Amino acid sequence: METSGQDASDFALHSLQQQLDHDKRFKPGDGDLLNFYEQMLLIRRFEEKAGQLYGLGLIGGFCHLYIGQEAVAVGLQSALTEGLDSVITGYRDHGHMLAYGIDPNVIMAELTGRAAGISKGKGGSMHMFSTEHKFYGGHGIVGAQVSLGGGLALAHQYNDDGGLCLAYFGDGAANQGQVYETMNMASLWKLPIVFVVENNQYAMGTAVRRSSAETEFYRRGTAFRIPGMEVNGMDVLEVRAAAEIAFAHVREGKGPVLMECNTYRYRGHSMSDPAKYRTREEVQEQRDHHDPIERVKKDLAEAGVNEDQLKEIDKAIRATVAEAADFAEQSPEPEASELYTDVLVEEY
C-alpha cells in the first residue's frame, strides 16, 4: 500500500518527552540563575505597576497581566538566538517583550498610549510590536498569531537563515481551527516553529476540563506527527531544559514541536475580570507552593546567594519600574497625524 509523508517506522512521537524526563532541569552556568531571577522579578514588578496605573485610569482599554506565568517566557526566550529567532504571541504580551530585553520605558509608554511607546502609542497593551527585536506582536484575535507564526517560520526556512519562530498561544486558543491548519502545514513542510501552549488553566474564565475534550494539550499535534512536550511552566529551569531540546530538534530540520507549559495566572483574565470562577484559596495555594520566583529564590539560596543580595536586586528593579512609570506619565500623547502612519508597509 502506498503511504504519504513520513514512513511510520521513522515516526517517534514521544522521543522529546523522554529526553526531557531523563534530565528535567537545566543546569545553569555562572550568573544564569541570577539572570533568570532578575528577568522574572522585573516582569512581576512591572505587571504589578501596570495594574496600579490601570486602576488610576492611566492605562485604557484591555490590560492582561502576566503575573504567575513569568517562568515560561524567561525560560524559553533565554534559549533563543538574539537577532535571529522570532517571537509572536497573543494579547498577554508585556512579559514576553520584557523577557526579550526590550526597554521597560517604551513598553510602559505604550501601555499608557504615549508617542514614546514601542508602537507609538497606537497599540496599547494588546498590540505591541518590534521588528527590530523580531517580536511580531501582541495580537487581539484569539489564535490568529499561530497562523502568522507559521508565516514567520516559512520566512526563516525560505531565507535559510537558521532561525526559528516561537509561537505562543493559550489553552483557550488551543481549540481554534486555524491553529490546526497551521500545524498541518508546518509539519508537512517541516517548518522551523515551536508551538507553545501557555496553559494557565482558565482561558477567559472557563476551566480547561469544562471546555476541552482533550485537556493534555501537548498531545494535540499527534494527528500531524508533531512531537509533544509536557512541561512544568512554574519552574524556569525545566522550561529552559525543554527549550534546549525543542529548539535543537527544530534547528536540525526535523520540523515543528508542540510544547505545553502548565502555568497559572494569579490575576483575572484581564483587569476587568473579577475571577469568580475560582476560589481565593486555590490562588493562594499556587502562590504558596508553586510560585516560579520563589522556586528560583530557593535555588539561589542553595547556590549560596544570600537574602540581602536578593533584596538589593528587588530594590533596583522597583526603581527601574518606577522610572518606567514616570517616563510614561511624562511622555506626550501622539499627534493626531500619527493615525495615518504605518498603515502600509510602503508609501504610495
Side-chain angles (χ1 to χ4, degrees):
M1 185 177 70
E2 186 178 338
T3 59
S4 60
Q6 292 174 300
D7 186 270
S9 63
D10 295 331
F11 181 50
L13 183 68
H14 305 293
S15 59
L16 300 187
Q17 186 69 51
Q18 290 163 357
Q19 206 174 330
L20 176 63
D21 290 344
H22 182 260
D23 193 0
K24 278 206 163 185
R25 303 194 86 208
F26 173 71
K27 292 176 176 56
D30 292 342
D32 283 343
L33 205 54
L34 261 181
N35 185 42
F36 295 159
Y37 175 72
E38 289 173 359
Q39 286 184 295
M40 290 164 66
L41 195 60
L42 173 61
I43 295 171
R44 177 74 56 93
R45 298 295 178 239
F46 184 95
E47 295 290 65
E48 288 170 350
K49 177 62 74 173
Q52 292 172 8
L53 296 184
Y54 189 92
L56 292 170
L58 293 171
I59 296 174
F62 288 101
C63 185
H64 305 82
L65 303 182
Y66 202 61
I67 296 173
Q69 299 182 215
E70 298 89 352
V72 179
V74 171
L76 288 171
Q77 288 170 227
S78 64
L80 292 176
T81 302
E82 188 175 347
L84 176 64
D85 300 320
S86 54
V87 171
I88 192 165
T89 187
Y91 43 75
R92 196 182 304 278
D93 56 358
H94 322 154
H96 303 91
M97 298 200 83
L98 289 166
Y100 230 7
I102 298 174
D103 185 359
N105 285 9
V106 298
I107 301 175
M108 195 68 86
E110 187 59 42
L111 282 172
T112 53
R114 307 304 168 117
I118 200 160
S119 297
K120 301 178 183 177
K122 297 186 289 186
S125 170
M126 297 169 65
H127 302 286
M128 298 193 190
F129 204 91
S130 174
T131 52
E132 177 190 352
H133 293 88
K134 292 188 178 293
F135 183 87
Y136 294 96
H139 291 271
I141 305 301
V142 176
Q145 72 275 14
V146 180
S147 300
L148 296 173
L152 291 168
L154 179 60
H156 284 300
Q157 186 186 72
Y158 183 83
N159 293 322
D160 195 23
D161 60 16
L164 61 82
C165 176
L166 187 59
Y168 293 95
F169 57 105
D171 47 288
N175 292 319
Q176 291 287 322
Q178 60 198 319
V179 171
Y180 300 100
E181 293 177 41
T182 307
M183 284 185 182
N184 182 58
M185 184 180 293
S187 184
L188 195 61
W189 293 350
K190 293 190 182 300
L191 297 184
I193 184 169
V194 177
F195 300 102
V196 179
V197 185
E198 292 195 79
N199 182 4
N200 62 25
Q201 314 303 321
Y202 285 101
M204 284 186 68
T206 303
V208 165
R209 65 183 180 276
R210 294 181 57 215
S211 60
S212 296
E214 173 56 270
T215 58
E216 294 182 326
F217 294 104
Y218 68 97
R219 297 179 175 183
R220 295 282 185 100
T222 305
F224 310 108
R225 297 194 167 199
I226 297 176
M229 303 178 74
E230 184 180 26
V231 183
N232 179 5
M234 303 299 269
D235 182 354
V236 70
L237 295 183
E238 183 169 330
V239 176
R240 175 59 187 267
E244 298 269 339
I245 295 167
F247 294 178
H249 178 93
V250 170
R251 292 194 202 281
E252 288 167 7
K254 296 178 179 177
V257 173
L258 171 61
M259 184 186 299
E260 176 185 1
C261 291
N262 285 291
T263 183
Y264 197 88
R265 58 171 168 78
Y266 295 161
R267 301 290 183 94
H269 173 70
S270 69
M271 287 297 295
S272 59
D273 173 18
K276 292 182 178 179
Y277 42 81
R278 60 186 183 182
T279 65
R280 290 183 180 179
E281 290 75 19
E282 178 184 314
V283 178
Q284 194 60 47
E285 196 274 336
Q286 289 287 334
R287 282 185 176 273
D288 291 344
H289 302 291
H290 304 286
D291 186 81
I293 295 175
E294 290 301 317
R295 187 187 293 267
V296 171
K297 283 178 74 172
K298 289 178 182 176
D299 290 330
L300 286 166
E302 290 173 8
V305 177
N306 62 54
E307 186 69 25
D308 290 340
Q309 187 177 348
L310 297 182
K311 286 180 180 177
E312 284 302 312
I313 291 171
D314 193 4
K315 183 178 178 182
I317 286 173
R318 287 179 186 273
T320 297
V321 170
E323 181 185 320
D326 290 341
F327 174 81
E329 289 183 54
Q330 293 165 15
S331 297
E333 294 184 355
E335 298 289 336
S337 60
E338 187 61 50
L339 284 170
Y340 302 99
T341 67
D342 302 319
V343 177
L344 301 172
V345 174
E346 300 175 20
E347 293 183 5
Y348 294 91

